[in-house]
């Protein structure tokens, strides 16, 4: 039912923790909306024959349940909320009819006028959630949302009613370790002005939910130890959209230049004559240990820390790491992308002289609601990671700083 001027939509905040939410369709709409539903604690059931790689990854990690099939009448039983986002109008109509019969609030991605609920343009600042509805004008909703959030962050609500005009080009934005509040102010501002966002799974996924519907989100599918999009394809996508006059944001996890292939993308853009802005991000190598209570340096304990990629095993001829030298260092060793190689890495360090009793901490999904820390030693970390079923992304910290605790 279309909104009548005399009957505007009634704004409300849904408390979905532990309550069943059904999502129909596993495409870009689901990719953008699912992280916020998961963050809200919803019991999410996805029904779709296929899904994007990022949505697939959420199912593989147990964040959502996925039934790989088409919608059937009765799927909305006991649901509190449904997101209808398939590519088939007849399926969406049938699901809407069932939602109406069962009195389940339903969002329609293809037809807002046929929905019983609308998704507002949302933003967050220091514990405040801003949700804006302007009927059938999502661009204005996003502009008002941005103005309010910017005003909250800057201490003034006297902000422009519309987004500032953008300049076509590319911004390589470091999104930080996962918590959406840990992206830089500049990075968030550029993201708000984007026409196209090419995002990694390891980037702050909740930020995608803040994007207005007109923004094209491209899944780079850079999933650790899983499917991936060739770097050349990512470079070509950046160039293609920028040449089309779009404002493009390449949203990356952590910092673009810390094992993020940011320089490769910058070089490709430079060769194509595309202007590019690089926005540094908070690296998980420092922030994730910190979020788990581990300082990478500490007076009297460690005067240095070294960050190493663990995606290649020590005995692999492709390895560029001098593990023998690292074993002799007395500071902190931080390993990224090394979950499935940590057993071999620990053995190499011990073989080259590092004490087997050296403490190790593995922090999975750092800075997010799913963060967990597993402690071990070099002698036990390989088996501990297997027994505890630790999965990437995870940051591994080796050294005495692991045992530094607060007092009092």
């Amino acid at each position: 039912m279309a909104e009548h001027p005399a009957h505007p939509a009634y704004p409300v905040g849904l408390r979905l923790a532990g309550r069943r939410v059904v999502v129909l369709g596993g495409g870009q709409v689901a990719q953008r909306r699912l992280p916020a539903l998961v963050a809200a604690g919803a019991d999410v059931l996805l029904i779709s024959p296929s899904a994007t790689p990022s949505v697939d990854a959420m199912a593989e990690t147990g964040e959502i349940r996925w039934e790989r099939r088409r919608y059937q009448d009765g799927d909305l039983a006991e649901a509190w909320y449904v997101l209808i986002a398939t590519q088939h109008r007849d399926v969406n109509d049938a699901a809407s009819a069932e939602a109406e019969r069962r009195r389940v609030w339903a969002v329609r991605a293809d037809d807002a006028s046929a929905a019983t609920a609308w998704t507002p343009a949302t933003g967050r600042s220091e514990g405040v959630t801003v949700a804006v509805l302007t009927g059938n004008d999502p661009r204005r909703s996003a502009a008002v949302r941005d103005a309010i959030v910017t005003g909250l962050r800057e201490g003034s609500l006297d902000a422009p009613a519309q987004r500032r005009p953008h300049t076509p080009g590319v911004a390589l934005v470091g999104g930080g370790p996962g918590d959406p509040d840990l992206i830089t102010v500049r990075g968030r501002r550029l993201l708000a002005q984007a026409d196209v966002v090419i995002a990694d799974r390891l980037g702050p996924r909740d930020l995608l939910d803040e994007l207005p519907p007109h923004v094209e989100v491209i899944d780079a599918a850079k999933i650790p130890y899983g499917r991936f999009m060739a770097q050349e394809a990512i470079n070509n996508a950046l160039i293609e959209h920028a040449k089309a006059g779009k404002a493009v944001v390449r949203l990356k996890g952590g910092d673009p230049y810390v094992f993020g292939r940011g320089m490769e993308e910058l070089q490709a853009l430079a060769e194509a004559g595309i202007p590019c802005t690089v926005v540094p991000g908070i690296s998980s190598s420092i922030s994730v240990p910190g979020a788990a209570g581990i300082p990478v340096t500490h007076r009297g304990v460690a005067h240095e820390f070294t960050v190493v990629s663990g995606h290649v095993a020590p005995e692999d001829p492709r390895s560029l790491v001098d593990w023998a030298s690292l074993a002799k260092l007395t500071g902190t060793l931080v390993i990224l992308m090394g979950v499935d190689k940590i057993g071999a890495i620990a053995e190499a360090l011990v073989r080259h002289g590092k004490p087997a009793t050296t403490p190790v901490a593995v922090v999975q999904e750092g800075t997010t609601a799913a963060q967990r820390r597993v402690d071990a030693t070099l002698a036990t970390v390989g088996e501990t990671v297997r027994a505890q079923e630790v999965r990437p992304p995870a940051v591994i910290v080796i050294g005495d700083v692991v045992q530094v605790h607060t007092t009092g």
Side-chain angles (χ1 to χ4, degrees):
M1 182 176 181
E3 182 183 28
H4 187 280
H7 304 291
Y10 184 80
V12 65
L14 299 181
R15 300 177 65 188
L16 296 175
R19 296 184 169 94
R20 186 179 188 187
V21 171
V22 177
V23 176
L24 304 178
Q28 281 198 16
V29 174
Q31 178 180 322
R32 289 163 56 166
R33 302 305 181 197
L34 280 171
L37 292 171
V38 170
D43 176 18
V44 179
L45 170 62
L46 171 69
I47 298 175
S48 178
S50 60
T52 68
S54 287
V55 173
D56 190 352
M58 295 180 73
E60 290 179 357
T61 57
E63 294 180 284
I64 63 172
R65 292 178 292 122
W66 180 16
E67 294 187 10
R68 293 166 172 79
R69 60 175 176 83
R70 295 184 179 276
Y71 160 80
Q72 301 171 359
D73 187 61
D75 282 340
L76 306 188
E78 300 182 2
W80 292 70
Y81 180 76
V82 58
L83 170 60
I84 304 172
T86 80
Q87 297 179 348
H88 306 285
R89 175 79 191 208
D90 58 336
V91 173
N92 295 344
D93 288 341
S96 290
E98 181 184 356
E100 188 74 20
R101 292 197 310 270
R102 296 184 181 277
R103 298 185 179 182
V104 178
W105 295 111
V107 172
R108 281 280 293 264
D110 63 335
D111 186 355
S113 65
T116 54
W118 292 337
T119 302
T122 59
R124 298 171 184 85
S125 177
E126 298 181 349
V128 175
T129 298
V130 175
V132 179
L133 286 171
T134 56
N136 294 320
D137 189 353
R139 288 176 180 263
R140 187 181 178 205
S141 295
V144 174
R145 183 272 318 277
D146 292 346
I148 295 172
V149 172
T150 298
L152 289 172
R153 291 187 180 126
E154 296 179 354
S156 170
L157 293 178
D158 184 17
Q162 298 183 1
R163 291 181 171 196
R164 291 171 293 177
H166 66 262
T167 302
V170 176
L172 303 182
V173 175
D179 184 334
D181 284 342
L182 294 181
I183 190 174
T184 63
V185 172
R186 188 179 189 190
R188 186 182 282 268
R189 184 181 303 122
L190 288 170
L191 191 64
Q193 297 170 1
D195 299 309
V196 178
V197 176
I198 300 179
D200 287 346
R201 185 179 79 89
L202 297 183
R205 299 176 303 175
D206 288 359
L207 292 175
L208 300 179
D209 189 53
E210 298 181 12
L211 300 175
H214 75 277
V215 179
E216 180 178 1
V217 177
I218 298 174
D219 183 2
K222 301 192 69 169
I223 301 172
Y225 318 121
R227 290 175 292 176
F228 65 95
M229 185 179 189
Q231 187 61 51
E232 293 77 11
I234 296 174
N235 296 346
N236 291 339
L238 292 170
I239 294 169
E240 174 186 345
H241 289 287
K243 284 187 173 181
K246 306 289 188 179
V248 184
V249 166
R250 175 71 169 103
L251 183 62
K252 308 171 79 69
D255 181 273
Y257 287 171
V258 181
F259 306 133
R261 296 189 174 181
M263 181 54 71
E264 293 180 40
E265 295 171 359
L266 183 64
Q267 290 171 336
L269 292 166
E271 290 176 3
I274 304 296
C276 180
T277 298
V278 178
V279 181
I282 299 175
S283 173
S284 62
S285 62
I286 303 171
S287 57
V288 167
I294 303 171
V296 293
T297 64
H298 188 68
R299 185 169 59 178
V301 178
H303 293 175
E304 63 190 4
F305 70 95
T306 305
V307 182
V308 182
S309 171
H311 75 288
V312 176
E315 302 305 320
D316 193 310
R318 298 171 299 167
S319 177
L320 302 178
V321 179
D322 186 347
W323 293 102
S325 296
L326 290 179
K328 296 178 176 60
L329 297 177
T330 59
T332 305
L333 183 60
V334 179
I335 300 175
L336 306 183
M337 302 180 293
V339 170
D340 68 338
K341 303 291 193 305
I342 186 56
I345 289 172
E347 290 174 4
L349 291 171
V350 172
R351 185 169 63 252
H352 290 296
K354 200 80 169 172
T357 56
T358 302
V360 181
V362 184
V363 185
Q364 179 180 325
E365 301 279 0
T367 77
T368 73
Q371 175 179 305
R372 67 165 175 150
R373 170 178 170 174
V374 175
D375 286 77
T377 65
L378 283 179
T380 64
V381 66
E383 179 56 33
T384 299
V385 164
R386 285 190 293 272
Q388 295 293 323
E389 297 183 345
V390 177
R391 289 188 280 191
V395 174
I396 302 166
V397 186
I398 302 173
D400 291 336
V401 292
V402 169
Q403 296 181 328
V404 174
H405 300 289
T406 58
T407 58

